[in-house]
Amino acid sequence: MEAGIPMHHNDRTLLVAGAAVVAPDGSRAEALAVRGGRVLHIGTVADARAALGHIDEELALDGGVVHPGFVDAHCHPVMYGQALAWVDVRPERVPDIDTLVRVLTEAARELPAGVPLRAFGYEHRRLAERRHPTCHDLDRVTEDREVYVMNASGHGGVVNSASLRLHGITAGTAEPEGGRIGRFADGEPNGELWDAACDLITGPHGIKIGNHGPNFHLDEPEAVLADQLRHAQDVFLAAGVTTVGDAQASRREVEAYLRLRDAGDLRMRVSAYLTSALLDTALDLGLVRALGDDRFRVQGVKFYADGTLGGWTAYFPEGYAADCCHHGQLYHTAEEYAELVGRAHRAGLQTATHAQSPHAIGMVLDAVEKAQADLPRPGIRHRIEHCGLPTDDQIQRMADLGVVPVMQPQHHLRTGDGTLAAVGELGHRYNPAGRCAEAGVPVVFSSDAPVAPPAPLEAVYAGATRRTVLGTVLGDESLRLPVAAGLHAHTAAAARALHLEQSAGTLAVGAWADFTVLDADPAHTPAEDLRDIAVRETWVGGRRAWAAPGR
């Protein structure tokens, strides 16, 4: 029994009527009948009433659409809650480094002495200077406290000189495996810390993940982290998202979710993928299948092949088009990575691997192919996270191997122009969802929040138009995913990627009664107008979890 849910929950009934209900076959029904938090019947109002008999609650809507709750299969809710609490330095607010310094200086004045100043969201290619800030730039903000400005990619950022001193980062600090310390020409650190190098700033007792991914697991007091997660949860629910996949969970994330669940405050459903730094721990504990309940469960393990396109750490052995001497990085050798995936696969754990470049995607497919050849597990659905630039041959291999690409169209919406500048014409293929669908590959959409906000209808718009914020159209029509397919990618297909297709992303009989009430039908709305559709309220398990102010 879930904490905070009363015992009589199993008998509670709800009738939803007065709006078009999206049925599993794509038709529109009059009413939805719910018992015990699950869908009992979908059809006419009369039939729904008859199916229920006794009705505890009736939701009488005045038009709109009852849509299956959206599923965000790759995001970072705890990190997103932190980012929402940090100083906002996204391009819309901070166009240049002088503005960055001014915004941070104003924020520093509001903080108690000694409290670290943290900010999120700068994109160096959209700063007027077209470069990362340096420690010297951040020293203009303050020299008596730590300053950390995280890049929008989440894969690292820049610290000030006080942070470098506090954590002992000097010219003599060795380059960590799977990470990079930015340096001036004389070898002194310039403040940039990327991927595994972020281990250096989590403190002596903080979370360390080595060459298993970027370390964004900065500590906060328990109560602060809980409030931040509640805030993030409200934003997901306000976007109509009812189920999420946390794509990199450490003990910080697991503890935060359990605290909220045990307090009865976890209103969305969470499937977590443990960072691969915890693979040995998971196997030692005998964690060989999904573990948890309807609110929080551990589903699999998150790996990294290469880095990020936004930070130029995705791996291109031939170099970047913008700089042939810059190659990015791999977190593991191909052999090490294949061995890790094989261990998880043999234990029965679903894997989810971050891979952006064709080289990294090929590395994942090789590892999965070997693992399946050694021990066939046809239904395990290994995932490739982002899967930004697969070749057509790799897309066919995904289809053959049953691999699921989990993409984020909001990435190419926001940073597609930067990707073109970095990798050249190859960037036009970024997130080739249409090609994947044509090959029979089950495309999944997600937000990667905080890299982009949870906004499923914006993601569907971006997948259908492939137009960036600067107006560039990426690639040809074969790469686009039509609206109906995009909605499927953010509901039923995303639920399937989490092994929840029987319960989430659909209003089929027996599924969880997780739905959102929209003020227009997205399936019958032009792509350009999708972002104007408002969410009125969101329900999870037949209970209202969020409502727009005034409703």
Side-chain angles (χ1 to χ4, degrees):
M1 179 63 62
E2 295 166 11
I5 304 298
M7 293 296 291
H8 65 267
H9 175 69
N10 286 339
D11 300 321
R12 186 174 169 276
T13 59
L14 168 71
L15 175 68
V16 182
V21 180
V22 178
D25 64 0
S27 64
R28 301 297 183 261
E30 289 182 353
L32 181 72
V34 178
R35 174 174 289 147
R38 292 186 178 266
V39 176
L40 177 68
H41 182 83
I42 184 168
T44 66
V45 174
D47 287 348
R49 286 188 182 279
L52 286 172
H54 171 74
I55 297 173
D56 291 313
E57 183 178 3
E58 186 165 342
L59 175 61
L61 298 167
D62 53 353
V65 170
V66 175
H67 194 279
F70 291 104
V71 178
D72 195 332
H74 178 122
C75 54
H76 308 277
V78 177
M79 178 192 180
Y80 184 42
Q82 276 194 316
L84 290 171
W86 292 359
V87 182
D88 179 4
V89 292
R90 290 173 297 174
E92 295 81 3
R93 188 181 186 208
V94 175
D96 53 55
I97 289 174
D98 281 345
T99 305
L100 174 71
V101 170
R102 177 178 57 77
V103 166
L104 293 174
T105 302
E106 291 171 356
R109 294 193 191 107
E110 303 299 318
L111 287 177
V115 174
L117 175 63
R118 293 168 176 167
F120 176 82
Y122 86 92
E123 296 179 26
H124 55 288
R125 289 184 199 85
R126 291 176 66 184
L127 291 171
E129 296 83 357
R130 299 291 190 271
R131 67 170 176 85
H132 295 281
T134 70
C135 56
H136 299 325
D137 294 317
L138 300 186
D139 291 344
R140 293 162 53 196
V141 176
T142 177
E143 296 189 44
D144 61 0
R145 76 172 84 225
E146 289 185 79
V147 178
Y148 176 36
V149 183
M150 187 181 283
N151 183 264
S153 68
H155 277 244
V158 185
V159 300
N160 64 346
S161 296
S163 299
L164 294 172
R165 287 192 299 272
L166 178 67
H167 298 292
I169 304 169
T170 68
T173 302
E175 206 82 346
E177 184 181 3
R180 179 171 66 85
I181 299 170
R183 301 182 191 273
F184 293 116
D186 62 0
E188 290 293 328
N190 66 10
E192 288 182 48
L193 298 171
W194 293 100
D195 297 295
C198 298
D199 269 6
L200 298 170
I201 59 171
T202 60
H205 305 295
I207 290 168
K208 309 294 181 186
I209 60 176
N211 65 322
H212 289 269
N215 191 340
F216 48 73
H217 306 281
L218 289 136
D219 283 337
E220 297 277 12
E222 284 185 12
V224 171
L225 203 62
D227 284 344
Q228 291 172 347
L229 178 53
R230 287 187 187 95
H231 184 189
Q233 176 176 245
D234 284 342
V235 180
F236 279 99
L237 293 168
V241 175
T242 54
T243 298
V244 301
D246 186 313
Q248 183 171 316
S250 69
R251 71 167 185 268
R252 180 186 78 150
E253 283 70 24
V254 172
E255 288 173 354
Y257 292 126
L258 291 177
R259 280 195 293 270
L260 249 65
R261 188 205 61 178
D262 292 347
D265 291 342
L266 189 59
R267 287 171 286 134
M268 63 184 182
R269 306 186 193 275
V270 181
S271 292
Y273 289 80
L274 300 176
T275 166
S276 57
L278 295 174
L279 178 60
D280 287 342
T281 302
L283 297 179
D284 286 346
L285 290 171
L287 183 62
V288 295
R289 60 182 59 84
L291 174 69
D293 58 23
D294 287 355
R295 289 291 157 151
F296 174 73
R297 62 204 285 269
V298 174
Q299 171 57 39
V301 182
K302 168 69 177 295
F303 295 85
Y304 282 81
D306 67 348
T308 171
L309 289 166
W312 285 33
T313 56
Y315 184 67
F316 293 87
E318 69 282 4
Y320 278 71
D323 181 356
C324 64
C325 295
H326 188 87
H327 301 277
Q329 68 179 43
L330 296 173
Y331 281 88
H332 311 278
T333 67
E335 295 75 20
E336 290 168 346
Y337 171 74
E339 193 271 334
L340 288 167
V341 168
R343 290 173 63 208
H345 176 87
R346 287 191 297 275
L349 290 169
Q350 182 190 27
T351 67
T353 301
H354 170 120
Q356 288 281 27
S357 75
H359 183 96
I361 292 167
M363 201 167 96
V364 179
L365 294 172
D366 288 347
V368 170
E369 187 172 54
K370 182 180 187 307
Q372 290 283 28
D374 291 344
L375 177 62
R377 290 189 183 277
I380 199 164
R381 301 173 195 167
H382 293 303
R383 299 169 31 158
I384 300 181
E385 310 305 297
H386 313 304
C387 199
L389 295 167
T391 66
D392 287 342
D393 287 345
Q394 289 172 339
I395 290 172
Q396 186 56 54
R397 288 186 71 192
M398 281 186 249
D400 296 340
L401 290 168
V403 168
V404 179
V406 181
M407 296 181 172
Q408 297 81 30
Q410 291 162 284
H411 284 198
H412 68 242
L413 173 68
R414 285 167 167 73
T415 63
D417 297 279
T419 300
L420 282 175
V423 304
E425 285 300 301
L426 178 63
H428 276 289
R429 281 187 62 96
Y430 193 16
N431 292 337
R435 292 276 178 90
C436 289
E438 185 181 0
V441 175
V443 182
V444 173
F445 281 173
S446 58
S447 69
D448 198 18
V451 179
L457 295 175
E458 180 180 77
V460 175
Y461 155 81
T465 65
R466 295 184 60 80
R467 187 178 298 115
T468 74
V469 291
L470 300 182
T472 305
V473 176
L474 299 174
D476 59 31
E477 287 192 12
S478 71
L479 301 168
R480 301 176 193 170
L481 199 66
V483 169
L487 292 168
H488 180 79
H490 229 317
T491 50
R496 180 181 178 276
L498 297 172
H499 286 267
L500 292 175
E501 66 270 24
Q502 301 302 318
S503 297
T506 178
L507 294 177
V509 172
W512 292 322
D514 298 351
F515 59 88
T516 185
V517 182
L518 307 175
D519 67 2
D521 193 333
H524 300 110
T525 299
E528 290 75 12
D529 299 329
L530 285 173
R531 292 177 292 179
D532 296 329
I533 295 177
V535 176
R536 296 180 182 176
E537 46 193 284
T538 300
W539 290 63
V540 179
R543 291 179 179 272
R544 185 184 282 107
W546 179 88
R551 292 194 64 83

